[in-house]
Amino acid sequence: MDLLAQPLADLRSQVSAVVRAASAERAFERGAEAELAGQVAVIAEVGRLIEALLIDAVGEVARRSENAVRDERMTSHFGCRDVTELLQTLTRQESRSVARLQRAAKAVRPDISVMTGELLDAPFPSVRDAMTDGVIGVDGILAITAPLQQAAPRVSAAARADAADIVVAEARGEGPDGAPPACAELLRIHAQTWSLALDQDGAEPRERVAERKRSLTLGAPTANGVPVRGTLLPEVAAQLQTIFDAHLAPTVAFDDPFAVDEDGELPAFPAVDERTRAQKQHDAFAAALGVAAASGLLPTIGGHAPTLVVSVDAEDLAAGTGYAHAQGCDQPVSMGVARHLACSGVIQRVTSRPGGRIVAIGTEERVFNRHQRRAIALRDGRCIIPGCGVPAGWCEIHHVTEHARGGPTHTDNGVLLCWYHHRFLDRIGWQLRMNAGVPEVQAPPWHGTDRRWRAVTTSPVRLKKRLLRT
């Protein structure tokens, strides 16, 4: 007998009617701000109550799929290999969401006695009560229980449950400080604080485990790139995140927000950046590797700094055809990659006969020395693409006229570009030129109708002078 079929059908009909009415009558748009805020709060509470039902149901699915005999499991009856696959099919959610539901169910659902069949206490009774009251949902449950569960078995179950009671009081708005009900993020902070207070030595064992599991592996090269797998230590991940944050921090929209050109118009709008955050973080990581390799502080290989060797036929490089080969990478790279690396690296010409014999080795030509780089950094200030804002220390020096095409290694032919704009300059469409030693940029056609060349004024010294003149 299905005890919940009719109540759930009625609930679905009521919720469906409310959704259609709200859309048809534009209820949210017509309400005052106070009314809208109240509506959001009530809808969220209803959602948490629905999540409570779902969590209990997920817990029961997991229990029925734990049978030692595979053919007697619920997952086998529905033709699924595991609980996650079955729940993905039933809930239409992705695997991460389903995993969160399973963790929440494990934390709050009471066990059933194998001997008597009676319900036992839930691991965190107060958390379960808050769930059934609609006070917390999946986010709140995991925020409270996950940090406390990490303290097991060094901290007793009773002590962890007592700490959960205090955090649940904060969720209900009944904490000792009289604060309003806390969101899941604040609940996690409270729970983490209690976990550290109860488990004085807990950090050290966790750190030892993390140290053993730390890893970083480059996978086999594929046509789509090289996959990266691994687990970073928390402090290493924090350092990398800091680099990402610094590299991806929002910048001003214009080089000079008060400047106008000779026609009294504002400067060109900044470049449109359609990269995803993951792609931006990749590019920040690439820039960090370049800075580290050029710092001179890394261990040497054969008496020299770590160097990426790229080989390419001179005729192919000049014609822009064929492929180049990077040492240590099985996949060939395009001429664009070769030009990018050659533009900011060291070029040494090796002449060989068709059979492979080396007949001449030229001297190394360092593209830009440190004195030239300092001068260019002082002039440009940061990446010269309007609106980019990546500082000089993160930028590479680009030959406006390519070195392979006879472009001189001179400050009058070098400009600052961030790794992203340097690597994809030919695809992005921004045009660069030098006018009496001053960089000028031209926006791509898709950027607008204004195709005029504009002088780059990113140097702080030049900007200050312009502001003083105005």
Side-chain angles (χ1 to χ4, degrees):
M1 180 179 180
D2 193 340
L3 300 177
L4 292 178
Q6 191 57 49
L8 288 177
D10 295 341
L11 177 61
R12 179 174 56 190
S13 298
Q14 293 176 17
V15 173
S16 179
V18 172
V19 171
R20 289 195 298 269
S23 177
E25 299 175 6
R26 304 176 66 177
F28 297 131
E29 300 174 31
R30 296 167 60 183
E33 290 185 354
E35 294 173 340
L36 179 59
Q39 292 164 357
V40 170
V42 172
I43 294 170
E45 183 177 0
V46 172
R48 291 192 295 269
L49 290 169
I50 296 297
E51 282 186 342
L53 278 173
L54 185 57
I55 289 169
D56 271 350
V58 166
E60 182 62 20
V61 170
R63 186 186 69 82
R64 297 190 184 194
S65 301
E66 293 173 351
N67 198 301
V69 181
R70 185 177 186 86
D71 291 342
E72 296 182 4
R73 298 173 186 172
M74 182 175 178
T75 50
S76 298
H77 298 162
F78 284 82
C80 297
R81 65 179 182 272
D82 54 26
V83 176
T84 298
E85 182 181 354
L86 176 57
L87 291 175
Q88 281 185 272
T89 303
L90 297 175
T91 64
R92 305 180 189 178
Q93 296 184 6
E94 63 177 3
S95 59
R96 289 177 296 181
S97 300
V98 167
R100 287 170 55 81
L101 285 171
Q102 294 180 74
R103 293 199 301 271
K106 187 175 181 179
V108 300
R109 195 169 189 276
D111 289 329
I112 299 178
S113 173
V114 179
M115 301 297 295
T116 64
E118 65 179 346
L119 286 178
L120 304 177
D121 289 336
F124 297 95
S126 61
V127 177
R128 176 171 179 80
D129 291 340
M131 178 193 75
T132 56
D133 291 341
V135 175
I136 56 176
V138 174
D139 289 345
I141 293 170
L142 296 180
I144 297 172
T145 61
L148 296 174
Q149 285 174 327
Q150 291 178 354
R154 295 178 298 274
V155 177
S156 67
R160 286 182 278 122
D162 290 342
D165 295 346
I166 299 174
V167 181
V168 167
E170 297 289 346
R172 293 181 179 274
E174 301 171 356
D177 55 357
C183 66
E185 188 172 354
L186 292 178
L187 295 178
R188 180 177 292 104
I189 295 174
H190 282 293
Q192 289 172 341
T193 303
W194 275 105
S195 178
L196 293 175
L198 294 172
D199 185 14
Q200 297 291 337
D201 299 326
E204 185 176 352
R206 287 196 295 271
E207 287 178 358
R208 288 199 296 268
V209 173
E211 289 169 358
R212 289 197 301 269
K213 292 184 176 295
R214 75 188 189 279
S215 64
L216 185 63
T217 305
L218 298 180
T222 69
N224 297 323
V226 180
V228 179
R229 301 184 301 273
T231 302
L232 301 180
L233 291 172
E235 67 272 19
V236 176
Q239 180 64 70
L240 184 59
Q241 186 62 56
T242 301
I243 292 175
F244 289 160
D245 293 342
H247 201 79
L248 306 180
T251 57
V252 296
F254 301 108
D255 296 332
D256 177 2
F258 305 101
V260 294
D261 59 21
E262 61 276 8
D263 296 329
E265 299 177 357
L266 287 173
F269 286 99
V272 176
D273 192 346
E274 297 180 345
R275 293 177 293 169
T276 65
R277 180 169 182 84
Q279 290 172 332
K280 291 178 181 179
Q281 292 184 164
H282 168 278
D283 297 349
F285 186 59
L289 291 178
V291 172
S295 67
L297 302 178
L298 295 177
T300 60
I301 300 177
H304 298 278
T307 304
L308 176 63
V309 179
V310 178
S311 59
V312 58
D313 185 87
E315 295 179 357
D316 288 345
L317 183 62
T321 59
Y323 293 94
H325 297 274
Q327 187 177 38
C329 181
D330 296 334
Q331 296 288 332
V333 298
S334 67
M335 285 296 122
V337 174
R339 286 194 296 268
H340 172 212
L341 295 172
C343 192
S344 56
V346 173
I347 296 177
Q348 182 175 21
R349 300 186 183 276
V350 179
T351 306
S352 61
R353 289 177 176 169
R357 182 186 178 188
I358 297 174
V359 296
I361 302 177
T363 58
E364 291 185 349
E365 303 172 21
R366 180 165 294 278
V367 177
F368 285 97
N369 61 40
R370 63 180 183 274
H371 305 294
Q372 292 171 316
R373 181 180 178 87
R374 289 172 185 164
I376 293 173
L378 181 63
R379 182 196 65 202
D380 295 349
R382 57 178 184 264
C383 177
I384 67 169
I385 300 300
C388 178
V390 173
W394 286 96
C395 289
E396 301 173 347
I397 305 252
H398 168 66
H399 280 81
V400 178
T401 300
E402 294 180 11
H403 188 278
R405 299 182 183 275
T409 303
H410 191 279
T411 54
D412 284 351
N413 191 46
V415 297
L416 289 183
L417 289 178
C418 69
W419 185 92
Y420 165 64
H421 285 117
H422 196 187
R423 173 68 172 77
F424 299 105
L425 183 63
D426 56 339
R427 301 184 192 177
I428 296 172
W430 284 86
Q431 300 296 317
L432 308 179
R433 74 179 185 186
M434 302 298 292
N435 185 358
V438 177
E440 293 184 342
V441 297
Q442 183 187 64
W446 51 262
H447 198 270
T449 57
D450 185 1
R451 301 299 311 286
R452 287 178 297 172
W453 288 93
R454 297 175 182 271
V456 176
T457 56
T458 54
S459 167
V461 175
R462 296 178 66 191
L463 283 178
K464 183 176 180 180
K465 290 182 177 179
R466 292 187 66 186
L467 288 173
L468 291 176
R469 287 199 302 268
T470 58

